């Protein structure tokens, strides 16, 4: 299913396992200790092409005390060893799905059953990449307790208009 968040189009499966949960764990106030999550605290996605940028669609659930704090990072690793790290900041490029307020994202409201506590929005942001280098992989890492990310989709922003035209032509053939 195609959804548009601001000017960014994404394709998300409407049923089944359609996101990856990334979190470290949650602080238990009763014993002042971290209860580790059964979810991974990082996700590495192989890329293998040169791109102008990465578009990310996220849902997030973070305790309000984390507002303004770095809870993790997104790292772009290029062949040859160069890396680019983008901090994930609650209220900046990470938005809370239940009470959205981030300033550096595009957001889209979700239709939800009001009787069930569920996310009300998702957020998207773009990370510029070094278009002259091959992007080997992208990693999303959460290192703060009480912060959960749901990675829903990732788009690669291609370098050449010709490559984009080929992709659109293939897409039209599949849908037509």
């Amino acid at each position: 299913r195609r959804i548009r968040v601001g000017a960014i189009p994404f394709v998300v499966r409407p049923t089944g396992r359609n996101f990856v949960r990334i979190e470290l764990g949650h602080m238990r106030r009763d014993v002042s200790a971290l209860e580790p999550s059964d979810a991974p605290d990082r996700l590495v996605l192989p890329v293998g092409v040169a791109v102008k940028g990465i578009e990310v669609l996220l849902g997030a659930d973070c305790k309000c005390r984390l507002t303004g704090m770095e809870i993790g990072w997104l790292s772009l690793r290029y062949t040859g060893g160069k890396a680019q790290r983008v901090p994930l900041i609650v209220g900046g490029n990470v938005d809370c799905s239940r009470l959205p307020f981030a300033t550096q994202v595009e957001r889209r409201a979700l239709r939800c059953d009001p009787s069930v506590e569920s996310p009300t929005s998702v957020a998207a942001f773009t990370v510029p990449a070094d278009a002259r280098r091959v992007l080997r992989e992208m990693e999303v890492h959460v290192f703060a307790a009480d912060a959960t990310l749901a990675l829903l989709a990732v788009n690669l922003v291609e370098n050449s208009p010709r490559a984009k035209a080929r992709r659109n032509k293939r897409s039209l053939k599949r849908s037509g």
Side-chain angles (χ1 to χ4, degrees):
R1 175 176 169 203
R2 290 183 180 271
I3 65 169
R4 184 171 291 281
V5 181
I8 306 172
F10 289 98
V11 176
V12 178
R13 282 189 291 172
T15 60
R17 188 177 170 106
N18 56 7
F19 69 91
V20 177
R21 188 177 88 209
I22 306 167
E23 65 183 356
L24 177 66
H26 299 279
M27 289 301 293
R28 290 190 46 196
R29 288 188 292 167
D30 57 339
V31 291
S32 296
L34 177 69
E35 184 176 315
S37 173
D38 60 348
D41 66 346
R42 67 186 68 222
L43 174 71
V44 178
L45 298 171
V47 179
V49 295
V51 295
K52 288 194 308 189
I54 301 286
E55 298 167 331
V56 181
L57 181 63
L58 283 177
D61 185 23
C62 302
K63 300 290 185 198
C64 56
R65 67 177 169 72
L66 297 174
T67 301
M69 291 178 57
E70 181 177 352
I71 60 160
W73 40 257
L74 186 146
S75 180
L76 303 180
R77 295 192 192 109
Y78 301 90
T79 56
K82 183 181 176 192
Q84 172 185 344
R85 188 175 281 184
V86 176
L88 297 173
I89 310 288
V90 177
N93 56 3
V94 174
D95 209 358
C96 289
S97 296
R98 290 190 176 106
L99 298 168
F101 66 95
T103 59
Q104 300 167 13
V105 299
E106 296 283 342
R107 89 180 43 86
R108 177 179 172 138
L110 301 174
R111 283 180 260 154
C112 303
D113 179 350
S115 66
V116 178
E117 186 177 330
S118 62
T120 59
S121 69
V122 291
F125 65 95
T126 302
V127 177
D130 184 344
R132 298 164 297 157
R133 298 180 182 269
V134 172
L135 181 59
R136 189 180 78 231
E137 64 189 16
M138 175 188 109
E139 179 179 7
V140 180
H141 176 63
V142 173
F143 55 71
D146 298 329
T148 302
L149 298 182
L151 183 61
L152 297 159
V154 175
N155 291 339
L156 302 177
V157 180
E158 295 178 329
N159 276 328
S160 75
R162 200 177 295 168
K164 192 172 188 177
R166 282 194 310 266
R167 186 184 73 209
N168 289 339
K169 189 175 181 180
R170 283 193 307 262
S171 179
L172 288 173
K173 282 183 181 178
R174 281 188 223 132
S175 63

